[in-house]
């Protein structure tokens, strides 16, 4: 799946109809989610159709009682600073079948990214690859899924705020424990959680669908409650 965004205008496109289209070249970001990886048997059958007259039969992974899976091999990410980092990737032992897999998987991911026409643009654009498959492009940063999504409690609290019609989420430990006892049982628990999981705008703004604002500590000392969200708190007191 390809997701591209430009301000408040959002579009989504499946992998297959991407090749050659320029309709996304004016967007400022692309997020590729997952990968278009054929099943083992589908990839093997495609290879048999391509190399139907080969003297060497297409090698197939033996049948097993459970689902047939690809083998795992180490491939490398190329970091922009020149360092390489390894990752386990699904690989077929027959090079011809693997070529079929990569044409559907890696090549389509690169096609999705290239819809932004990154080579011939003067604008700096952002690419998020939400997948562990190593591609032949330089990578600026690698993060784990947990690092990307953060602790679920904040997103759950933000979702509950949305369900209640609130425009903001209080960050003061006392208010968090009072309003969301299922997530933070005590004020102390909320304090410890906030210390370990400070809100990050680049992550939490996506979950809430708005702006993330944190009132300065001096405002808290003056008796005001810290909050994050899209506007004034209404109806939560």
């Amino acid at each position: 799946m390809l997701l591209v965004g430009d301000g408040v205008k959002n579009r989504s496109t499946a992998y297959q109809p991407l090749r050659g289209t320029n309709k996304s070249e004016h967007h400022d970001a692309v997020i590729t989610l997952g990968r278009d990886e054929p099943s083992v048997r589908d990839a093997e059958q495609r290879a048999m159709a391509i190399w139907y007259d080969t003297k060497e039969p297409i090698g197939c992974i033996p049948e097993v009682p459970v689902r047939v899976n690809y083998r795992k091999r180490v491939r490398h990410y190329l970091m922009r600073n020149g360092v390489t980092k390894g990752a386990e990737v699904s690989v077929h032992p027959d090079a011809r079948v693997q070529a079929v897999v990569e044409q559907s998987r890696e090549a389509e991911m690169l096609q999705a990214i290239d819809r932004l026409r990154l080579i011939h643009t003067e604008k700096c654009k952002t690419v998020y690859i939400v997948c562990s498959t190593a591609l032949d492009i330089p990578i600026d940063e690698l993060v784990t899924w947990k690092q990307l999504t953060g602790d679920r409690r904040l997103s759950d609290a933000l979702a509950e705020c949305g369900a209640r019609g609130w425009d903001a989420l209080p960050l003061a430990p006392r208010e968090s424990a009072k309003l969301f006892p299922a997530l933070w049982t005590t004020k102390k628990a909320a304090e410890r959680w906030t210390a370990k999981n400070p809100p990050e705008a680049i992550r939490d703004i996506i979950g809430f669908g708005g702006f993330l604002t944190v009132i300065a500590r001096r405002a808290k000392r003056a008796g005001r409650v810290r909050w994050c969200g899209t506007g004034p708190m209404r109806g939560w007191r």
Side-chain angles (χ1 to χ4, degrees):
M1 180 66 71
L2 164 71
L3 300 181
V4 289
D6 186 6
V8 296
K9 299 177 182 179
N10 298 293
R11 298 176 61 88
S12 64
T13 309
Y15 274 124
Q16 296 301 330
L18 289 173
R19 290 181 177 271
T21 178
N22 291 322
K23 65 181 182 179
S24 301
E25 63 181 329
H26 300 298
H27 290 295
D28 54 9
V30 58
I31 305 174
T32 63
L33 301 176
R35 59 190 183 275
D36 185 14
E37 182 178 277
S39 69
V40 172
R41 294 297 178 241
D42 283 347
E44 291 171 348
Q45 290 175 6
R46 294 182 201 177
M48 291 177 188
I50 296 172
W51 288 279
Y52 67 92
D53 59 348
T54 182
K55 294 181 179 179
E56 181 181 354
I58 296 295
C60 297
I61 297 177
E63 290 284 352
V64 291
V66 294
R67 179 183 175 184
V68 179
N69 291 320
Y70 291 98
R71 305 292 186 257
K72 294 294 184 180
R73 297 289 184 272
V74 175
R75 295 292 186 265
H76 291 87
Y77 301 108
L78 174 62
M79 307 305 292
R80 192 171 296 278
N81 60 8
V83 175
T84 59
K85 296 185 179 182
E88 284 193 344
V89 177
S90 298
V91 175
H92 196 283
D94 190 303
R96 294 163 293 181
V97 181
Q98 180 60 20
V100 171
V101 173
E102 293 183 8
Q103 184 63 28
S104 178
R105 188 178 62 193
E106 282 86 343
E108 288 303 315
M109 292 176 69
L110 291 172
Q111 280 288 323
I113 294 170
D114 195 45
R115 294 312 93 206
L116 265 66
R117 299 305 189 191
L118 301 172
I119 296 177
H120 301 295
T121 181
E122 297 179 356
K123 184 179 180 181
C124 182
K125 301 183 178 183
T126 305
V127 176
Y128 298 95
I129 304 172
V130 189
C131 179
S132 59
T133 300
L135 301 178
D136 188 23
I137 55 176
I139 303 296
D140 292 293
E141 183 180 7
L142 292 173
V143 297
T144 64
W145 178 250
K146 185 175 181 180
Q147 289 173 319
L148 180 64
T149 59
D151 191 290
R152 287 285 307 173
R153 279 180 286 185
L154 181 58
S155 59
D156 290 345
L158 289 171
E160 191 166 345
C161 280
R164 297 181 183 182
W166 297 348
D167 294 317
L169 168 69
L171 296 179
R174 184 188 301 277
E175 299 300 329
S176 298
K178 181 177 71 175
L179 297 173
F180 308 101
L183 301 176
W184 297 282
T185 56
T186 65
K187 173 187 173 183
K188 194 65 177 180
E191 286 179 347
R192 289 195 297 265
W193 184 90
T194 304
K196 293 181 180 179
N197 302 274
E200 298 178 25
I202 193 171
R203 180 194 70 211
D204 303 328
I205 192 174
I206 298 175
F208 195 69
F211 297 103
L212 177 68
T213 305
V214 179
I215 303 301
R217 290 185 178 180
R218 61 179 178 274
K220 181 186 178 185
R221 287 197 297 268
R224 296 169 58 186
V225 176
R226 296 182 300 159
W227 56 270
C228 68
T230 58
M233 291 288 287
R234 294 196 296 265
W236 64 275
R237 286 195 178 280

